[in-house]
Amino acid sequence: MTGQNLEALYRGYIACLNRQDWADLGSFVHEDVHYNGKRIGLSGYRIMLEGDFKAIPDLHFAIDFLVIDPPRVASRLLFDCTPVGDLFGLPVNGRRVSFTENVFYEFEDARIRNVWSIIDKAAVAAQV
């Protein structure tokens, strides 16, 4: 897979998340996906994402920058959102917060097989 193909695939994945098109998630995410070293499978990954959107109804994934080195993608995602309750154990309760996520993906068979995510929780703590 070329860098251009991988970038297009990743941008399609982000668009899928923003549409909350869970029926199409398997087109981008491997059935045996691992998240931060733990196998959660496609169904667990979907449950995690659905929970994120339930906790943050206006959640939107915005790519700040992207590095492609097939079969890996590194991305910095920006979030500006209004969680309805606690977020990362912090009492946000409807306040608008901004934070970033540094996330690394490894693709296998043109789908995400491994995800490593680091969220800037300190940025959220500084806003509550």
Side-chain angles (χ1 to χ4, degrees), residues 20-46:
Q20 299 179 55
D21 185 359
W22 309 130
D24 198 29
L25 189 63
S27 298
F28 301 97
V29 178
H30 198 281
E31 182 66 38
D32 193 37
V33 67
H34 289 68
Y35 181 81
N36 285 342
K38 180 180 177 189
R39 184 196 179 282
I40 62 173
L42 178 58
S43 62
Y45 199 76
R46 177 179 173 163

Side-chain angles (χ1 to χ4, degrees), residues 61-107:
F61 292 75
I63 300 171
D64 183 27
F65 63 81
L66 192 56
V67 177
I68 309 289
D69 184 16
R72 293 175 193 89
V73 170
S75 182
R76 178 178 168 93
L77 299 172
L78 302 175
F79 301 96
D80 182 21
C81 54
T82 314
V84 295
D86 286 358
L87 181 64
F88 314 128
L90 300 166
V92 177
N93 302 322
R95 282 181 265 180
R96 183 165 216 83
V97 293
S98 297
F99 61 95
T100 59
E101 176 183 18
N102 295 314
V103 63
F104 306 90
Y105 306 86
E106 187 171 50
F107 284 72

